[in-house]
Amino acid sequence: YVAKQRNLGVFPYDPSLDTHSPERLSLLGDLRRALHDDELFLQYQPKVSLSTGEVCGAEALLRWAHPDRGLVPPDAFVPLAENTGLIGPLTRRVLDLALAQVRRWAEQGRPLQISVNLSARNLLDDRLDTTVAGLLAEHGVAPQLLKLEVTESAIMADPARAAELLRRLHARGIAIAIDDFGAGYTSLGQLKNLPVSELKVDRSFVTTMQSDSSDSLIVRSVIELSHNLGLSAVAEGVEDAETLDSLTAYSCDVAQGYHLSRPMAADAFDAWRAAWPGLPPTPSRITAVVA
Ligand code: C2E
Ligand code: MG
Ligand code: MG
Ligand code: MG
């Protein structure tokens, strides 16, 4: 089984992901149950426009409220789901929860675009576009309110096939973002041929850009590349005001990170959004004056 994974050349062997270890087997059984028993839920992290200071979207981040283990972070079980065929149902559940929330926001008169993370394996599922279209219809949500985030490494697993699937999703009006950009190795030629509207700079560069000049240079390069290709640049992992100011000065389009807000459950997100005062004005940011 592991040999099969390795032959794909994309999932290097990691003993912690060995589905035969007792610990993993028990977590796997638990995950099957979690899908049944509603133990999975989403938190939402706001994305804020650096040109208007307004909330312009939210990223849905998966959480598992395990009855014994407590809150299990996605890094601890998404890879397991990927290696065991559970990723299809898992992604479907995430989309279902996310689109139900988008529908509620729209009904409250506060529509907001949601970003949902896909796994590498999801890009090998030729029916994904049909599945997503079905869920959009079921929830009565316009495709423009959904953005799918894919990482560079997920695309690299089978670039031609991924590009084909992404084109079909894009043709249905769904937006595509490249997540963790800069950490992988997408060629510029490939990027040009992908129906992408957003590059998310990997947070490993953003969190250290104030202290590490090469990280700062990488962030600025990705912003410039985005703009040269007509894409929007998003910085994730914005943890302090100085980073936010630098990103604004570099004409980054959107910021996301703990400095703005941690990911929150839906209720907390709504309260946070209602109270959001906007960002302070700068020479490049004309903010609306609320009387
Ligand atoms: P990601 O998509 O790059 O998501 C951003 C991660 O950075 C999230 O971690 C978020 O909580 C964290 N983050 C946000 N702002 C900051 C900050 O200012 N500082 C720091 N240090 N971290 C920040 P999280 O929620 O633990 O998710 C980790 C990864 O798990 C995600 O990375 C994504 O790759 C994956 N993931 C999360 N939800 C899903 C899902 O529904 N489906 C799939 N396939 N993967 C998911
Ligand atoms: Mg993401
Ligand atoms: Mg990311
Ligand atoms: Mg990541």
PDB file of all heavy atoms in Angstrom, residues 133-159:
ATOM      1  N   ALA A 133     -21.152  21.367  -8.292  1.00  0.00           N
ATOM      2  CA  ALA A 133     -22.307  22.021  -8.920  1.00  0.00           C
ATOM      3  C   ALA A 133     -23.603  21.552  -8.267  1.00  0.00           C
ATOM      4  O   ALA A 133     -24.520  22.351  -8.025  1.00  0.00           O
ATOM      5  CB  ALA A 133     -22.319  21.730 -10.420  1.00  0.00           C
ATOM      6  N   GLY A 134     -23.686  20.252  -7.957  1.00  0.00           N
ATOM      7  CA  GLY A 134     -24.868  19.704  -7.300  1.00  0.00           C
ATOM      8  C   GLY A 134     -25.092  20.340  -5.938  1.00  0.00           C
ATOM      9  O   GLY A 134     -26.224  20.687  -5.572  1.00  0.00           O
ATOM     10  N   LEU A 135     -24.021  20.502  -5.179  1.00  0.00           N
ATOM     11  CA  LEU A 135     -24.139  21.093  -3.840  1.00  0.00           C
ATOM     12  C   LEU A 135     -24.527  22.573  -3.921  1.00  0.00           C
ATOM     13  O   LEU A 135     -25.319  23.066  -3.106  1.00  0.00           O
ATOM     14  CB  LEU A 135     -22.826  20.917  -3.066  1.00  0.00           C
ATOM     15  CG  LEU A 135     -22.576  19.481  -2.567  1.00  0.00           C
ATOM     16  CD1 LEU A 135     -21.131  19.292  -2.137  1.00  0.00           C
ATOM     17  CD2 LEU A 135     -23.517  19.153  -1.396  1.00  0.00           C
ATOM     18  N   LEU A 136     -23.953  23.290  -4.898  1.00  0.00           N
ATOM     19  CA  LEU A 136     -24.326  24.703  -5.078  1.00  0.00           C
ATOM     20  C   LEU A 136     -25.821  24.817  -5.356  1.00  0.00           C
ATOM     21  O   LEU A 136     -26.514  25.652  -4.771  1.00  0.00           O
ATOM     22  CB  LEU A 136     -23.526  25.324  -6.228  1.00  0.00           C
ATOM     23  CG  LEU A 136     -22.058  25.666  -5.953  1.00  0.00           C
ATOM     24  CD1 LEU A 136     -21.306  25.911  -7.257  1.00  0.00           C
ATOM     25  CD2 LEU A 136     -21.944  26.879  -5.035  1.00  0.00           C
ATOM     26  N   ALA A 137     -26.319  23.940  -6.236  1.00  0.00           N
ATOM     27  CA  ALA A 137     -27.739  23.973  -6.591  1.00  0.00           C
ATOM     28  C   ALA A 137     -28.601  23.627  -5.381  1.00  0.00           C
ATOM     29  O   ALA A 137     -29.602  24.292  -5.096  1.00  0.00           O
ATOM     30  CB  ALA A 137     -28.003  23.007  -7.742  1.00  0.00           C
ATOM     31  N   GLU A 138     -28.170  22.598  -4.643  1.00  0.00           N
ATOM     32  CA  GLU A 138     -28.906  22.150  -3.459  1.00  0.00           C
ATOM     33  C   GLU A 138     -29.073  23.282  -2.443  1.00  0.00           C
ATOM     34  O   GLU A 138     -30.121  23.429  -1.825  1.00  0.00           O
ATOM     35  CB  GLU A 138     -28.114  21.004  -2.831  1.00  0.00           C
ATOM     36  CG  GLU A 138     -28.901  19.987  -2.048  1.00  0.00           C
ATOM     37  CD  GLU A 138     -27.964  18.890  -1.572  1.00  0.00           C
ATOM     38  OE1 GLU A 138     -27.487  18.086  -2.402  1.00  0.00           O
ATOM     39  OE2 GLU A 138     -27.678  18.862  -0.359  1.00  0.00           O
ATOM     40  N   HIS A 139     -28.003  24.067  -2.284  1.00  0.00           N
ATOM     41  CA  HIS A 139     -28.048  25.154  -1.302  1.00  0.00           C
ATOM     42  C   HIS A 139     -28.519  26.472  -1.902  1.00  0.00           C
ATOM     43  O   HIS A 139     -28.661  27.461  -1.177  1.00  0.00           O
ATOM     44  CB  HIS A 139     -26.665  25.334  -0.663  1.00  0.00           C
ATOM     45  CG  HIS A 139     -26.294  24.219   0.269  1.00  0.00           C
ATOM     46  ND1 HIS A 139     -26.792  24.120   1.542  1.00  0.00           N
ATOM     47  CD2 HIS A 139     -25.505  23.138   0.097  1.00  0.00           C
ATOM     48  CE1 HIS A 139     -26.310  23.032   2.134  1.00  0.00           C
ATOM     49  NE2 HIS A 139     -25.530  22.411   1.277  1.00  0.00           N
ATOM     50  N   GLY A 140     -28.736  26.501  -3.213  1.00  0.00           N
ATOM     51  CA  GLY A 140     -29.156  27.736  -3.862  1.00  0.00           C
ATOM     52  C   GLY A 140     -28.118  28.834  -3.738  1.00  0.00           C
ATOM     53  O   GLY A 140     -28.441  29.992  -3.471  1.00  0.00           O
ATOM     54  N   VAL A 141     -26.858  28.469  -3.910  1.00  0.00           N
ATOM     55  CA  VAL A 141     -25.757  29.429  -3.773  1.00  0.00           C
ATOM     56  C   VAL A 141     -25.134  29.668  -5.155  1.00  0.00           C
ATOM     57  O   VAL A 141     -24.879  28.720  -5.904  1.00  0.00           O
ATOM     58  CB  VAL A 141     -24.690  28.899  -2.779  1.00  0.00           C
ATOM     59  CG1 VAL A 141     -23.408  29.710  -2.851  1.00  0.00           C
ATOM     60  CG2 VAL A 141     -25.233  28.900  -1.346  1.00  0.00           C
ATOM     61  N   ALA A 142     -24.898  30.942  -5.471  1.00  0.00           N
ATOM     62  CA  ALA A 142     -24.257  31.283  -6.755  1.00  0.00           C
ATOM     63  C   ALA A 142     -22.802  30.818  -6.742  1.00  0.00           C
ATOM     64  O   ALA A 142     -22.120  30.969  -5.726  1.00  0.00           O
ATOM     65  CB  ALA A 142     -24.319  32.788  -6.984  1.00  0.00           C
ATOM     66  N   PRO A 143     -22.328  30.264  -7.848  1.00  0.00           N
ATOM     67  CA  PRO A 143     -20.954  29.749  -7.891  1.00  0.00           C
ATOM     68  C   PRO A 143     -19.906  30.812  -7.571  1.00  0.00           C
ATOM     69  O   PRO A 143     -18.842  30.488  -7.038  1.00  0.00           O
ATOM     70  CB  PRO A 143     -20.788  29.231  -9.328  1.00  0.00           C
ATOM     71  CG  PRO A 143     -21.966  29.724 -10.090  1.00  0.00           C
ATOM     72  CD  PRO A 143     -23.045  30.021  -9.110  1.00  0.00           C
ATOM     73  N   GLN A 144     -20.241  32.082  -7.859  1.00  0.00           N
ATOM     74  CA  GLN A 144     -19.289  33.169  -7.598  1.00  0.00           C
ATOM     75  C   GLN A 144     -19.003  33.343  -6.106  1.00  0.00           C
ATOM     76  O   GLN A 144     -18.034  33.993  -5.723  1.00  0.00           O
ATOM     77  CB  GLN A 144     -19.817  34.498  -8.156  1.00  0.00           C
ATOM     78  CG  GLN A 144     -19.810  34.593  -9.671  1.00  0.00           C
ATOM     79  CD  GLN A 144     -20.869  33.710 -10.344  1.00  0.00           C
ATOM     80  OE1 GLN A 144     -21.878  33.336  -9.721  1.00  0.00           O
ATOM     81  NE2 GLN A 144     -20.640  33.373 -11.603  1.00  0.00           N
ATOM     82  N   LEU A 145     -19.863  32.773  -5.263  1.00  0.00           N
ATOM     83  CA  LEU A 145     -19.638  32.890  -3.814  1.00  0.00           C
ATOM     84  C   LEU A 145     -18.751  31.779  -3.271  1.00  0.00           C
ATOM     85  O   LEU A 145     -18.511  31.689  -2.072  1.00  0.00           O
ATOM     86  CB  LEU A 145     -20.984  32.901  -3.063  1.00  0.00           C
ATOM     87  CG  LEU A 145     -21.813  34.177  -3.265  1.00  0.00           C
ATOM     88  CD1 LEU A 145     -23.175  34.064  -2.586  1.00  0.00           C
ATOM     89  CD2 LEU A 145     -21.052  35.398  -2.725  1.00  0.00           C
ATOM     90  N   LEU A 146     -18.261  30.928  -4.177  1.00  0.00           N
ATOM     91  CA  LEU A 146     -17.374  29.840  -3.754  1.00  0.00           C
ATOM     92  C   LEU A 146     -16.010  29.976  -4.413  1.00  0.00           C
ATOM     93  O   LEU A 146     -15.905  30.211  -5.615  1.00  0.00           O
ATOM     94  CB  LEU A 146     -17.978  28.475  -4.133  1.00  0.00           C
ATOM     95  CG  LEU A 146     -17.124  27.242  -3.812  1.00  0.00           C
ATOM     96  CD1 LEU A 146     -16.875  27.101  -2.311  1.00  0.00           C
ATOM     97  CD2 LEU A 146     -17.775  25.976  -4.368  1.00  0.00           C
ATOM     98  N   LYS A 147     -14.975  29.855  -3.584  1.00  0.00           N
ATOM     99  CA  LYS A 147     -13.606  29.816  -4.105  1.00  0.00           C
ATOM    100  C   LYS A 147     -12.974  28.535  -3.597  1.00  0.00           C
ATOM    101  O   LYS A 147     -13.137  28.185  -2.423  1.00  0.00           O
ATOM    102  CB  LYS A 147     -12.838  31.041  -3.595  1.00  0.00           C
ATOM    103  CG  LYS A 147     -11.470  31.217  -4.227  1.00  0.00           C
ATOM    104  CD  LYS A 147     -10.841  32.539  -3.814  1.00  0.00           C
ATOM    105  CE  LYS A 147     -11.287  33.691  -4.686  1.00  0.00           C
ATOM    106  NZ  LYS A 147     -10.697  34.977  -4.304  1.00  0.00           N
ATOM    107  N   LEU A 148     -12.291  27.820  -4.459  1.00  0.00           N
ATOM    108  CA  LEU A 148     -11.619  26.585  -4.061  1.00  0.00           C
ATOM    109  C   LEU A 148     -10.118  26.836  -3.998  1.00  0.00           C
ATOM    110  O   LEU A 148      -9.537  27.375  -4.955  1.00  0.00           O
ATOM    111  CB  LEU A 148     -11.952  25.461  -5.049  1.00  0.00           C
ATOM    112  CG  LEU A 148     -13.437  25.080  -5.105  1.00  0.00           C
ATOM    113  CD1 LEU A 148     -13.695  24.053  -6.207  1.00  0.00           C
ATOM    114  CD2 LEU A 148     -13.903  24.535  -3.747  1.00  0.00           C
ATOM    115  N   GLU A 149      -9.497  26.468  -2.863  1.00  0.00           N
ATOM    116  CA  GLU A 149      -8.052  26.642  -2.699  1.00  0.00           C
ATOM    117  C   GLU A 149      -7.346  25.318  -2.962  1.00  0.00           C
ATOM    118  O   GLU A 149      -7.689  24.301  -2.358  1.00  0.00           O
ATOM    119  CB  GLU A 149      -7.736  27.107  -1.266  1.00  0.00           C
ATOM    120  CG  GLU A 149      -8.300  28.474  -0.933  1.00  0.00           C
ATOM    121  CD  GLU A 149      -7.733  29.052   0.367  1.00  0.00           C
ATOM    122  OE1 GLU A 149      -6.942  28.351   1.050  1.00  0.00           O
ATOM    123  OE2 GLU A 149      -8.095  30.195   0.686  1.00  0.00           O
ATOM    124  N   VAL A 150      -6.381  25.374  -3.863  1.00  0.00           N
ATOM    125  CA  VAL A 150      -5.565  24.184  -4.132  1.00  0.00           C
ATOM    126  C   VAL A 150      -4.101  24.566  -3.969  1.00  0.00           C
ATOM    127  O   VAL A 150      -3.707  25.679  -4.309  1.00  0.00           O
ATOM    128  CB  VAL A 150      -5.810  23.637  -5.557  1.00  0.00           C
ATOM    129  CG1 VAL A 150      -7.229  23.140  -5.707  1.00  0.00           C
ATOM    130  CG2 VAL A 150      -5.530  24.679  -6.616  1.00  0.00           C
ATOM    131  N   THR A 151      -3.303  23.658  -3.434  1.00  0.00           N
ATOM    132  CA  THR A 151      -1.886  23.976  -3.267  1.00  0.00           C
ATOM    133  C   THR A 151      -1.126  23.643  -4.549  1.00  0.00           C
ATOM    134  O   THR A 151      -1.582  22.852  -5.376  1.00  0.00           O
ATOM    135  CB  THR A 151      -1.256  23.193  -2.098  1.00  0.00           C
ATOM    136  OG1 THR A 151      -1.322  21.801  -2.408  1.00  0.00           O
ATOM    137  CG2 THR A 151      -1.980  23.463  -0.791  1.00  0.00           C
ATOM    138  N   GLU A 152       0.040  24.253  -4.652  1.00  0.00           N
ATOM    139  CA  GLU A 152       0.908  23.949  -5.793  1.00  0.00           C
ATOM    140  C   GLU A 152       1.229  22.462  -5.839  1.00  0.00           C
ATOM    141  O   GLU A 152       1.206  21.852  -6.910  1.00  0.00           O
ATOM    142  CB  GLU A 152       2.228  24.704  -5.652  1.00  0.00           C
ATOM    143  CG  GLU A 152       2.134  26.191  -5.873  1.00  0.00           C
ATOM    144  CD  GLU A 152       3.518  26.782  -5.704  1.00  0.00           C
ATOM    145  OE1 GLU A 152       4.276  26.772  -6.671  1.00  0.00           O
ATOM    146  OE2 GLU A 152       3.843  27.219  -4.587  1.00  0.00           O
ATOM    147  N   SER A 153       1.531  21.871  -4.695  1.00  0.00           N
ATOM    148  CA  SER A 153       1.933  20.463  -4.708  1.00  0.00           C
ATOM    149  C   SER A 153       0.768  19.568  -5.125  1.00  0.00           C
ATOM    150  O   SER A 153       0.967  18.552  -5.789  1.00  0.00           O
ATOM    151  CB  SER A 153       2.500  20.035  -3.346  1.00  0.00           C
ATOM    152  OG  SER A 153       1.594  20.323  -2.327  1.00  0.00           O
ATOM    153  N   ALA A 154      -0.461  19.952  -4.790  1.00  0.00           N
ATOM    154  CA  ALA A 154      -1.621  19.170  -5.227  1.00  0.00           C
ATOM    155  C   ALA A 154      -1.740  19.208  -6.748  1.00  0.00           C
ATOM    156  O   ALA A 154      -2.028  18.191  -7.384  1.00  0.00           O
ATOM    157  CB  ALA A 154      -2.897  19.714  -4.585  1.00  0.00           C
ATOM    158  N   ILE A 155      -1.474  20.359  -7.335  1.00  0.00           N
ATOM    159  CA  ILE A 155      -1.533  20.479  -8.798  1.00  0.00           C
ATOM    160  C   ILE A 155      -0.424  19.641  -9.442  1.00  0.00           C
ATOM    161  O   ILE A 155      -0.628  18.962 -10.438  1.00  0.00           O
ATOM    162  CB  ILE A 155      -1.412  21.960  -9.224  1.00  0.00           C
ATOM    163  CG1 ILE A 155      -2.676  22.719  -8.796  1.00  0.00           C
ATOM    164  CG2 ILE A 155      -1.204  22.085 -10.741  1.00  0.00           C
ATOM    165  CD1 ILE A 155      -2.572  24.210  -8.910  1.00  0.00           C
ATOM    166  N   MET A 156       0.752  19.652  -8.804  1.00  0.00           N
ATOM    167  CA  MET A 156       1.900  18.950  -9.366  1.00  0.00           C
ATOM    168  C   MET A 156       1.729  17.435  -9.391  1.00  0.00           C
ATOM    169  O   MET A 156       2.432  16.740 -10.126  1.00  0.00           O
ATOM    170  CB  MET A 156       3.175  19.305  -8.578  1.00  0.00           C
ATOM    171  CG  MET A 156       3.639  20.739  -8.749  1.00  0.00           C
ATOM    172  SD  MET A 156       3.691  21.248 -10.475  1.00  0.00           S
ATOM    173  CE  MET A 156       5.042  20.224 -11.051  1.00  0.00           C
ATOM    174  N   ALA A 157       0.793  16.911  -8.588  1.00  0.00           N
ATOM    175  CA  ALA A 157       0.568  15.460  -8.586  1.00  0.00           C
ATOM    176  C   ALA A 157       0.223  14.968  -9.994  1.00  0.00           C
ATOM    177  O   ALA A 157       0.626  13.884 -10.393  1.00  0.00           O
ATOM    178  CB  ALA A 157      -0.536  15.092  -7.602  1.00  0.00           C
ATOM    179  N   ASP A 158      -0.533  15.759 -10.733  1.00  0.00           N
ATOM    180  CA  ASP A 158      -0.881  15.438 -12.122  1.00  0.00           C
ATOM    181  C   ASP A 158      -1.341  16.739 -12.780  1.00  0.00           C
ATOM    182  O   ASP A 158      -2.546  17.003 -12.886  1.00  0.00           O
ATOM    183  CB  ASP A 158      -1.993  14.379 -12.159  1.00  0.00           C
ATOM    184  CG  ASP A 158      -2.227  13.847 -13.573  1.00  0.00           C
ATOM    185  OD1 ASP A 158      -1.827  14.526 -14.543  1.00  0.00           O
ATOM    186  OD2 ASP A 158      -2.817  12.753 -13.695  1.00  0.00           O
ATOM    187  N   PRO A 159      -0.373  17.572 -13.188  1.00  0.00           N
ATOM    188  CA  PRO A 159      -0.680  18.941 -13.621  1.00  0.00           C
ATOM    189  C   PRO A 159      -1.710  19.018 -14.750  1.00  0.00           C
ATOM    190  O   PRO A 159      -2.618  19.857 -14.689  1.00  0.00           O
ATOM    191  CB  PRO A 159       0.676  19.488 -14.093  1.00  0.00           C
ATOM    192  CG  PRO A 159       1.694  18.649 -13.419  1.00  0.00           C
ATOM    193  CD  PRO A 159       1.078  17.290 -13.238  1.00  0.00           C
TER     194      PRO A 159
END
